[in-house]
């Protein structure tokens, strides 16, 4: 494809390389380093004048450093006369801080949106936003892609009893996500109502739906410390589920997450590669990864060619 450049930030270079390979392109030359005072320095190693630039940087790892690196890369390309700069952010940072839920709380997702716009971003491509209304924080186009096509493919190919399964949301907020998947598979769905004492700590869970003598598949957009999904798995087993799987778009897995998964009753915990999982997989054999580089690559190709990206919401050539 002519007049297109893809650059990778330092957060997830493996995914960036897979996207470039699927598009038949080479990753652009960029050098990122830190000065002794920890300021980030970025050097774009080739001309971007008049080019359609895509910068891949996921919200993971050293999140704050990676956000700053992304902003500097966007600005560097913009002032170097790139015709358009698109930030490809597979896992959007600070997405859980999307509303003012108590006095004097910040809406940090809106702050990140403002910073991306001010840096010179013309377009955002992301995946499975924690809250769809985050798209409204931007005054520029935002394509929120879904991992659903890849999830459906994995379920059909890897769970032999999928026709006798129940798709379960671990909270009420994910009801729309699980009903969509359940409808596509023509199976039942259920949800778990949870009450929290405080952040990252669940107090009580109530199952709404039937999983008795069925395979239960927990589906959520992300898992951080994994307290919720591990509690949910125990709840499903006690309610009569024969097996429990968890499928998550963003596997953050911080703090005690890995030990909790190892001690939980999951057959498998399946995540996409919006976040690198190689190190986590070394310590947990239950973690399996779905590659979503094709979805992102196809979104880039369609954006570059001026085609609709909404096709990807239900179809993708995996």
């Amino acid at each position: 494809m002519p007049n297109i450049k893809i650059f990778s930030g330092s957060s997830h270079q493996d995914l960036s390389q897979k996207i470039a390979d699927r598009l038949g392109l080479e990753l652009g030359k960029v050098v990122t380093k830190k000065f002794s005072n920890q300021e980030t320095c970025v050097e774009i190693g080739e001309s971007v004048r008049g080019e359609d630039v895509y910068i891949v940087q996921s919200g993971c790892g050293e999140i704050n450093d990676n956000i700053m690196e992304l902003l500097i890369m966007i600005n560097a390309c913009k002032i170097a006369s790139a015709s358009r700069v698109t930030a490809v952010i597979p896992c959007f940072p600070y997405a859980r801080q999307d509303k003012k839920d108590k006095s004097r709380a910040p809406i940090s997702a809106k702050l990140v949106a403002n910073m991306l716009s001010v840096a010179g971003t013309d377009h955002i491509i992301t995946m499975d936003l924690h809250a769809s209304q985050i798209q409204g924080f931007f005054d520029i186009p935002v394509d929120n892609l879904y991992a659903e096509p890849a999830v459906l493919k994995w379920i059909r190919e890897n769970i032999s009893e999928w026709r006798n399964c129940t798709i379960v949301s671990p909270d009420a907020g994910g009801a729309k996500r699980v009903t969509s998947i359940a409808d596509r598979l023509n199976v039942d769905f259920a949800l778990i109502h949870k009450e929290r004492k405080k952040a990252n700590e669940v107090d009580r869970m109530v199952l709404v739906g039937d999983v008795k003598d069925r395979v239960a598949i927990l589906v959520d957009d992300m898992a951080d410390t994994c307290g919720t999904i591990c509690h949910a798995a125990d709840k499903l087993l006690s309610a009569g589920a024969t097996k429990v799987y968890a499928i998550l778009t963003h596997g953050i897995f911080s703090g005690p997450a890995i030990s909790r998964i190892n001690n939980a009753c999951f057959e498998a915990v399946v995540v996409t590669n919006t976040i690198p999982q190689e190190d986590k997989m070394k310590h947990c054999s239950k973690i399996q990864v779905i590659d979503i580089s094709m979805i992102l690559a196809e979104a880039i190709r369609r954006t570059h060619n001026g085609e609709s990206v909404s096709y990807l919401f239900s179809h993708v050539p995996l």
Side-chain angles (χ1 to χ4, degrees):
M1 292 187 289
N3 304 114
I4 181 172
K5 300 276 187 182
I6 297 181
F7 294 97
S8 174
S10 56
S11 68
H12 199 347
Q13 294 184 335
D14 178 64
L15 177 60
S16 303
Q17 187 62 60
K18 286 178 178 176
I19 292 171
D21 289 344
R22 288 185 180 277
L23 291 170
L25 301 170
E26 296 287 333
L27 283 176
K29 297 175 183 176
V30 59
V31 176
T32 58
K33 57 186 178 183
K34 280 188 172 18
F35 293 119
S36 59
N37 67 349
Q38 297 305 300
E39 286 183 0
T40 298
C41 176
V42 173
E43 297 175 7
I44 305 296
E46 54 192 83
S47 174
V48 295
R49 182 178 294 275
E51 300 280 358
D52 190 9
V53 174
Y54 295 83
I55 301 172
V56 183
Q57 181 82 307
S58 198
C60 57
E62 298 292 335
I63 292 178
N64 296 327
D65 285 347
N66 289 335
I67 290 173
M68 199 66 211
E69 181 182 282
L70 173 61
L71 296 172
I72 294 171
M73 290 178 72
I74 291 166
N75 188 251
C77 291
K78 199 67 180 176
I79 63 177
S81 301
S83 67
R84 178 174 61 178
V85 178
T86 298
V88 182
I89 312 173
C91 180
F92 194 86
Y94 288 88
R96 285 175 286 181
Q97 299 182 44
D98 63 317
K99 57 185 176 292
K100 191 176 177 67
D101 55 359
K102 53 190 172 184
S103 297
R104 297 173 296 281
I107 306 177
S108 303
K110 169 64 173 171
L111 176 61
V112 172
N114 288 343
M115 290 192 296
L116 287 164
S117 297
V118 170
T121 314
D122 297 298
H123 180 210
I124 302 286
I125 295 175
T126 188
M127 177 164 281
D128 275 351
L129 281 171
H130 184 66
S132 295
Q133 64 265 25
I134 291 174
Q135 295 171 89
F137 294 170
F138 291 89
D139 292 322
I140 57 176
V142 178
D143 284 317
N144 180 30
L145 307 177
Y146 300 116
E148 182 179 307
V151 169
L152 290 167
K153 183 173 186 288
W154 190 92
I155 290 173
R156 290 186 178 113
E157 292 180 354
N158 294 275
I159 302 178
S160 58
E161 314 99 311
W162 68 266
R163 289 180 178 82
N164 183 38
C165 76
T166 300
I167 310 297
V168 185
S169 173
D171 55 40
K176 186 176 180 180
R177 182 181 301 107
V178 300
T179 53
S180 176
I181 292 174
D183 287 346
R184 296 281 295 280
L185 293 173
N186 196 27
V187 298
D188 292 336
F189 70 91
L191 63 85
I192 292 174
H193 171 67
K194 65 182 179 183
E195 297 175 358
R196 288 184 185 275
K197 287 182 179 177
K198 55 186 178 180
N200 291 332
E201 186 175 320
V202 176
D203 180 26
R204 191 169 70 96
M205 287 188 159
V206 179
L207 175 64
V208 181
D210 182 24
V211 296
K212 186 172 177 59
D213 298 325
R214 298 182 185 179
V215 174
I217 304 175
L218 280 162
V219 177
D220 206 357
D221 64 318
M222 65 172 62
D224 189 353
T225 58
C226 291
T228 296
I229 63 165
C230 289
H231 275 94
D234 292 338
K235 185 73 178 177
L236 292 169
L237 267 192
S238 65
T242 56
K243 294 179 182 178
V244 181
Y245 293 83
I247 302 180
L248 316 157
T249 304
H250 311 298
I252 300 172
F253 300 149
S254 65
I258 296 301
S259 63
R260 284 175 173 173
I261 292 172
N262 282 328
N263 294 326
C265 57
F266 293 111
E267 298 293 316
V269 175
V270 183
V271 295
T272 72
N273 59 341
T274 57
I275 295 173
Q277 299 295 342
E278 288 76 13
D279 291 340
K280 307 287 172 53
M281 292 173 72
K282 292 176 183 176
H283 299 97
C284 182
S285 60
K286 294 180 182 179
I287 295 176
Q288 299 183 33
V289 176
I290 301 172
D291 181 21
I292 45 80
S293 61
M294 174 55 84
I295 298 175
L296 294 170
E298 183 67 9
I300 290 172
R301 187 190 69 78
R302 287 176 169 271
T303 299
H304 178 68
N305 292 334
E307 301 173 13
S308 171
V309 178
S310 61
Y311 174 86
L312 296 175
F313 294 170
S314 58
H315 304 82
V316 66
L318 292 166

